[in-house]
Amino acid sequence: MLKPFTNHLYRASFLAALLIPALCHAGKSDFSQKIELASLYQNADGIAKRASYQGNVVIQQGSLKVSSDELEIDASQGEGNEIFIATGSPATYSQQQEDGSIVTAQADKIEYHRQTRSLSLKGNAQIKQNSSSVQGESIKFNMELEQIIAQGSNQQSGRVITTFQPVSKPKESKPEPKQQDKLP
């Protein structure tokens, strides 16, 4: 009587473990970490190679973290071609880069395309690294090539807003007196 439920649970867990890749070309140590996916509800279809998770969804792998209200995984195009669609108010992404900086992103909808290692942020999109940020209606971010394409909306100003914070200039130290300037 429990066998169909148990088989479904095993399939869902196995599918989640296979389908959830590291979401960024960032901290390489993240890729060797275990993947944990938590939600209040999950539903997986091993034949169709699709899974959905609802209710306080959190994916964690090393420093990588995605939080959303819902997550859909489409693995129908085969291993390495999975598409992850996180939706929320907002859905969020964060990960520590190899240089120690943190990249964060948020949007109403975050799509991760595993094959191209790219994020598509749609609806109130924002991506930040250090003290710089890009905001727009939609942002595409190629994590491997570190390229951003942003588009504004047709509402209000409809513009993309990029913010660069000033970098403080290091203080110059006084030069040491030359050997000949020193008195014996």
Side-chain angles (χ1 to χ4, degrees), residues 20-152:
I20 300 176
L23 292 179
C24 182
H25 178 73
K28 290 182 181 178
S29 65
D30 287 345
F31 302 144
S32 63
Q33 303 289 318
K34 67 181 177 180
I35 298 168
E36 291 184 2
L37 192 148
S39 65
L40 296 176
Y41 175 81
Q42 68 177 10
N43 182 15
D45 183 336
I47 294 172
K49 297 186 180 179
R50 294 180 182 268
S52 65
Y53 303 84
Q54 289 91 32
N56 195 22
V57 180
V58 177
I59 302 169
Q60 185 97 34
Q61 184 180 29
S63 71
L64 181 147
K65 183 176 182 181
V66 175
S67 299
S68 62
D69 297 330
E70 296 184 16
L71 175 71
E72 300 286 328
I73 303 172
D74 179 355
S76 62
Q77 300 300 311
E79 188 176 343
N81 296 307
E82 297 88 357
I83 299 170
F84 298 78
I85 304 167
T87 56
S89 301
T92 62
Y93 156 86
S94 67
Q95 188 170 24
Q96 184 172 2
Q97 303 295 290
E98 287 184 32
D99 66 1
S101 66
I102 304 287
V103 172
T104 61
Q106 68 179 39
D108 297 334
K109 181 177 178 181
I110 298 176
E111 287 185 21
Y112 171 68
H113 297 262
R114 184 176 183 191
Q115 183 180 33
T116 59
R117 292 197 186 261
S118 62
L119 289 176
S120 293
L121 311 170
K122 298 177 183 171
N124 301 309
Q126 180 176 14
I127 189 163
K128 293 181 180 181
Q129 185 171 13
N130 299 323
S131 58
S132 300
S133 67
V134 176
Q135 295 175 320
E137 185 58 26
S138 67
I139 299 171
K140 292 187 179 187
F141 176 50
N142 183 312
M143 296 175 280
E144 225 168 17
L145 302 175
E146 297 184 22
Q147 297 173 336
I148 293 178
I149 299 172
Q151 181 176 336

